[in-house]
Amino acid sequence: MSIQKSVLAELLQVLPNWRPQMYFKASLTALSHAMEDRVLVGEDRPLAIASFQRERFYRQEAHRYRRIAQKTDQVYVLCAPETDFKNSSGLYETIAFEPTDSLAREWHLVVIGEQYSSCLICRERTTTIDGENRGSAMDNSRRFEGIWTFDRQVSQEAAAILLDRILAYRPELAKKIERARHLYLHSGVRSQDAEWSFQADPFVQRLVTYLQAGQYKLIKANRSLASKEHKERLINSVTAAIRRSLDPQQILQVAVQKLGEGLGVCRCIIYRCDESDATAKIEHEFLNAGITSIKGQAWPLKNNPLFEEVLELRESISIDDAFHDPRIVERASPNAPDASLQKIVKNCSIFSWLLVPILYQGRLLGMVELHHCGPTPSAWKSEDIALVDAIATQVGVALIQAEAYANLQDLNEQLEALDRTRSNLVAITGHELRTPLSTIQVCLESLASEPDMSPELRQVMLNTALADAERMRKLIQDFLTLSQLESGRVKWHPEPLSLNECVELALSHLHARNAKNDLPKISNLVPQNLPLVEADGEWLVEVLTKLLDNACKFTSPDGQVTVEVSRHSPQSLEVTIADTGRGIEPNRLKTVFDRFYQEEGALRRSVGGTGLGLAICRQIVNGWGGEIWAESEGKNHGSQFHFTVPIVSESSSSKKSQDVNSQSLPSQKQQRSSRKRSRGK
């Protein structure tokens, strides 16, 4: 059978003026031993009733009750069986109750003799003061509430309740229990009993007080150790988690999640920032249930007194009551630039605020913020602040490592690009230089070794050698031009220019260079009413010529090339050179502007060239602050090359237009030719 009503509850119903006290297990053990020792050293034949929660606890004390049973035949022991404990009548009576019985959560000992009496009636508390559920934890920190007294009346009432329980479990003990009632529950209080209680109570009370105080100190020490263990475990878990990744975004997300869960805050955010930022975007956030998200918002930093204080102190700051903090309330008048801080506190329900900078060698990398969102302010504990500081330090180290790894990857990519450039340079120069040199050598050897060569064949040999010499000169000139542009040694001479004239001049150069070649149809669709552009005329014509030459090179004679100009923005024009040629694979549109890039490869090309033309165009366009890019739908779908040129500012356009119009086109050509000759030298 199982009885659910507590013995302590029944006793308090009988004695409503008594109030239970709290005892630790260690205190109850000392009290029980004191009561048992009183029986062992006395001459009485008392009534002794003991109730143990489990059989294993009874086994620890069984030897004491065997000795007590030698003093008296009125000994009753109750406990929940685990192995061999059962109802029996031996040296003393044993009563087994179900583990679900209320006695399984209680601790009782009642001793009533002729000269003394005492009782200990307690019930275990399943929840400690700090809210930690200990339940059946078998240690000295277990807590009980109950009554311990030498009062004979209380002891007799407790004995009566326990004897009723024993009778319910073992009805066959009715006669023995009735004799116990007659001997111990109906006798009056004796003077010796009162005298012993007066002498023993102060000593035992001091013992219990000492044990209680010692247990409180032990619990406090255990809490401190548990707090330190929790801190170290959290730091280790965050460190291990963020060290597994070299992605800054993943590092911050892991850190905010671990930190928020470990401290149990309402909201935890981490964002990247530096000292000069006006705002920061919140990309990493941890939220507890029911808290409003602020992820994706712009967090104000400029004129933010809290952020400024963190920068000045280079350490964390905590605000226990954000609604009354002078740094927020007094400075945040409606017209003040930092009034938004008070709005943030209100809109985000930030009752308590903790800001911890992420620093590395004095450099600000970001910020960790913890928000307590009510319903009342909460003071930040020093150990929690120290914990967040330690984690912020680990996050800073991880971010620096991630940046170093990213820089290393960039460096490796640059080295790989340089290695490819070197390989292409060797292949292209080997092909572009060796082929014309071989031709020139053959032609010159033929002219030298065959004096009887006909004049017609001699002229063919000379023309071939001159053509290949020109090819070599262009190659070397492209090398020198690109080297000058990349090194920054070029002196730009911007001037107001008519884009129409520059396009016509580029077309003229193209036709002059390809007089003997069949070119595709070239359509000049540039409108006449364009504003003047501001650029170096020589280099602008160079870009147009190279892009037109490139379009013609990869377009068959029956194809078409067009030149168009549109207004890219109020500050620039966009030039587009489109062709119907072989096109470019979409995944190669960015690499076509790399040095030595060859669509077909260096040694299997159907057209000549060094692969430097588009790289030169990019350097020139970047020189005047423009953009250049390529578009294509793929092989055999043609391609379009675009670049932008700045427009002459309106304030000075009229004056510059007059200066440009005062010069004839031949004089401009002469100036460009003069600069070109000087650059060639």
Side-chain angles (χ1 to χ4, degrees), residues 305-315 317 355 357 367:
L306 303 182
F307 184 72
E308 293 173 355
E309 185 174 346
V310 169
L311 293 182
E312 181 180 357
L313 299 177
R314 281 296 195 266
E315 61 184 26
I317 60 172
L355 296 89
M367 192 76 69

Side-chain angles (χ1 to χ4, degrees), residues 284-350:
H284 307 280
E285 178 186 56
F286 167 84
L287 293 175
N288 255 322
I291 304 301
T292 305
S293 174
I294 57 175
K295 188 175 182 179
Q297 292 188 16
W299 210 240
L301 302 179
K302 189 176 182 181
N303 296 324
N304 183 333
L306 303 182
F307 184 72
E308 293 173 355
E309 185 174 346
V310 169
L311 293 182
E312 181 180 357
L313 299 177
R314 281 296 195 266
E315 61 184 26
S316 59
I317 60 172
S318 61
I319 300 173
D320 294 336
D321 189 351
F323 284 90
H324 298 91
D325 190 272
R327 290 167 291 190
I328 299 175
V329 177
E330 294 179 3
R331 295 185 56 180
S333 60
N335 299 323
D338 53 357
S340 58
L341 197 61
Q342 196 174 33
K343 294 180 181 178
I344 288 175
V345 170
K346 182 178 180 181
N347 295 337
C348 301
S349 301
I350 304 176

